[in-house]
Amino acid sequence: MSEERIGFRWWAEAEPDRQAIVDGSGRTLTYGELGAEVNRLSHGLREVAGLRRGDTVACVMNNSTRMMALYLAAMQSGLYLVNVNYHLTAEEIGYIVGDCGASAVVCSQRAADEAAAAVGGRVALFVDGEHPSARPWEDLTEGRSAELPAERPAGSLMLYTSGTTGRPKGVKRPLPEADADAGARTYKWLFDEYGMDEACKAWLVSAPLYHSANLTPAAGTLHLGGLLVIMEGWTPELFLATVERYGVTGTHMVPTQFHRLLQLPEEVRKAAATGTLRYVLHGAAPCPRQVKERMFEWLGPVLYEYYGSTEVGTTIARPHEWLAHPGTVGRPASISALKILDPEGREVPPGTEGTVYMRQGSDVMEYHNDPEKTKNSSRDGFLTVGDLGYVDEDGFLYLTGRSSDLIIVGGVNVYPAEIEAALFSHPQVADAGVVGVPDEDLGEVPVAFVETRPGILEGAELRESIAAHCAERLAKVKRPARLHLMEGLPRDPNGKLYKARLSEARVRSAVSAD
């Protein structure tokens, strides 16, 4: 493929009838149609929403062709795009929109009520559908030019990652000085680096696009002229049917999806037409070794694992590397560097556990509006998210633990501090602690231990009240899977909670409403 034919706009001009996207309902969009819509939207963001280079637009959308169009438009308009989980509550959405300083918000119909409540008329809101407090998507596109904008500065994602202080933190990098075409070429790196050169022939989005791990290869597929297949919901049966229908060659998944696929009857799995599926990229959560071994047995050597985060670089474990080093999450990518440091910041030798620090080239990153967190997470240009691990003599990384607070629920990072903050706001909650416990399906789930104060409610009624209180303030993935009412929680003289002592096995010896 020539260097000139990288970037969705080149495909739109050279092969406008080439199929670009097919969504969950079977609707298709050609590259010519996609290019025209992206250009109209780019003009609309400037002329209607008044956005200029360096401004921020927030996206609260479920998987759709229009979500991809908004992403591509922002990336050729010099904008920061903040993708917001559409499952969040109005309070959670409102915090992110305010913290990132969004000048406009675009949402899907399903998220319109929450987005409208979050914005409260303070920021321009556009909806892919109808809502009395929002302007329709068409206001951004109708009557706008379908021609390329005269200037196409590269934009950037501004990603929000869960914060240990109870609020998500924005990860912000300086806007590239390059134009959008140069920006498009950076996405080719993913497929080249992983050795997944044919993955984009038919790439399947089988998880939410608001997660960068799903959005990045999806964008790369369009920049390389491939077919992007978008699922709007996921079941193991639907996944297998979609792979067969479109001859899917590559996708990104999380271990929870592996687990659910492996729960299918053996005859169903044997009958599934998975022969076209040659590249399965996975990460976002630790994958149990036995689960990955079973997936290898079923699909063959097609699993490509990575480790990394919004803040730092990545490691890669290609199929042959993982099979030779079972349990590894790989070695650093070519533009990444890795160090294992002890508590004093000294690098430790191979085989010795320490804190994992990484760096991605000369990348400059900061936590938006939180310079203290930026400072505390870095050492000599290397960053950590608190994970523990070691490297072997060949440089392969093995993770041995995570920052004590982090809970990964089906691939989604959840921090207890945010759940605890919601619990403490209930009038009858005196103390609270949240820990992650193993779950066969989701990997982990949050469980809450709550000390209550006297009040109107008691027992089951009190528990129901606290659960309803959390449901109003937290996305479903963050809500406690179980809630134990306790006489008291174990804290040291300085008030630090002994989370290691919070276990469901000990609840039997405590006063619990279960």
Side-chain angles (χ1 to χ4, degrees), residues 337-373:
L338 167 69
K339 288 184 177 181
I340 307 296
L341 305 181
D342 66 16
E344 285 71 44
R346 298 178 300 237
E347 192 165 7
V348 301
T352 303
E353 183 186 77
T355 301
V356 180
Y357 281 79
M358 294 192 71
R359 183 179 67 197
Q360 184 167 291
S362 57
D363 191 26
V364 177
M365 186 284 297
E366 65 178 25
Y367 287 104
H368 186 55
N369 293 332
D370 198 340
E372 190 66 22
K373 183 174 176 63

Side-chain angles (χ1 to χ4, degrees), residues 57-348:
V57 57
C59 169
V60 193
M61 303 183 75
N62 54 281
N63 290 5
S64 64
T65 57
R66 283 185 168 178
M67 182 178 180
M68 287 304 306
L70 178 62
Y71 167 77
L72 294 170
M75 293 305 105
Q76 70 170 21
S77 301
L79 302 176
Y80 283 104
L81 178 68
V82 176
N83 283 324
V84 182
N85 182 342
Y86 55 83
H87 293 106
L88 297 183
T89 65
E91 181 181 355
E92 293 166 320
I93 295 171
Y95 166 76
I96 294 175
V97 169
D99 186 72
C100 74
S103 300
V105 178
V106 183
C107 68
S108 296
Q109 182 71 59
R110 67 182 295 176
D113 287 341
E114 298 295 334
V119 169
R122 295 181 296 273
V123 180
L125 177 64
F126 299 88
V127 61
D128 181 12
E130 296 181 356
H131 195 276
S133 299
R135 300 173 66 176
W137 169 281
E138 288 74 17
D139 278 7
L140 291 171
T141 57
E142 286 189 356
R144 307 295 135 200
S145 172
E147 300 299 318
L148 280 171
E151 296 182 356
R152 300 173 63 249
S156 177
L157 285 173
M158 180 176 171
L159 302 167
Y160 269 73
T161 180
S162 296
T164 55
T165 58
R167 287 290 196 179
K169 299 297 180 184
V171 177
K172 191 172 187 179
R173 293 176 169 87
L175 284 175
E177 294 298 327
D179 64 12
D181 288 339
R185 288 193 288 273
T186 64
Y187 291 90
K188 186 175 184 294
W189 170 86
L190 173 67
F191 296 103
D192 288 344
E193 183 76 10
Y194 280 62
M196 297 166 51
D197 54 316
E198 297 181 359
C200 67
K201 284 187 175 181
W203 183 271
L204 174 61
V205 175
S206 61
L209 281 166
Y210 59 69
H211 197 301
S212 63
N214 301 307
L215 181 58
T216 299
T221 294
L222 294 175
H223 287 314
L224 295 173
L227 172 64
L228 183 63
V229 183
I230 299 177
M231 292 179 68
E232 296 178 17
W234 194 91
T235 66
E237 295 85 358
L238 180 59
F239 171 81
L240 293 176
T242 304
V243 169
E244 179 176 4
R245 180 177 180 183
Y246 297 104
V248 169
T249 52
T251 191
H252 177 278
M253 304 180 76
V254 296
T256 294
Q257 292 171 312
F258 290 168
H259 176 73
R260 293 180 181 177
L261 283 166
L262 291 170
Q263 286 183 316
L264 291 171
E266 184 177 0
E267 58 271 20
V268 173
R269 286 188 282 114
K270 285 184 176 180
T274 59
T276 60
L277 194 58
R278 298 181 56 194
Y279 307 92
V280 177
L281 188 61
H282 78 94
C287 184
R289 178 171 170 176
Q290 64 273 22
V291 170
K292 188 162 181 175
E293 288 173 341
R294 290 185 63 194
M295 290 298 291
F296 267 125
E297 292 172 1
W298 177 18
L299 300 179
V302 302
L303 305 182
Y304 291 71
E305 184 168 3
Y306 67 91
Y307 161 75
S309 70
T310 299
E311 298 93 321
V312 301
T314 59
T315 65
I316 306 168
R318 300 169 185 86
H320 67 280
E321 293 170 329
W322 193 92
L323 290 169
H325 301 264
T328 184
V329 293
R331 289 186 290 195
S334 62
I335 63 171
S336 298
L338 167 69
K339 288 184 177 181
I340 307 296
L341 305 181
D342 66 16
E344 285 71 44
R346 298 178 300 237
E347 192 165 7
V348 301

Side-chain angles (χ1 to χ4, degrees), residues 352-404:
T352 303
E353 183 186 77
T355 301
V356 180
Y357 281 79
M358 294 192 71
R359 183 179 67 197
Q360 184 167 291
S362 57
D363 191 26
V364 177
M365 186 284 297
E366 65 178 25
Y367 287 104
H368 186 55
N369 293 332
D370 198 340
E372 190 66 22
K373 183 174 176 63
T374 304
K375 178 182 176 181
N376 292 338
S377 300
S378 62
R379 285 184 182 270
D380 300 323
F382 284 72
L383 291 166
T384 184
V385 291
D387 292 332
L388 303 176
Y390 67 92
V391 295
D392 64 16
E393 294 289 346
D394 296 319
F396 285 91
L397 174 64
Y398 297 78
L399 298 179
T400 56
R402 298 192 305 276
S403 53
S404 59

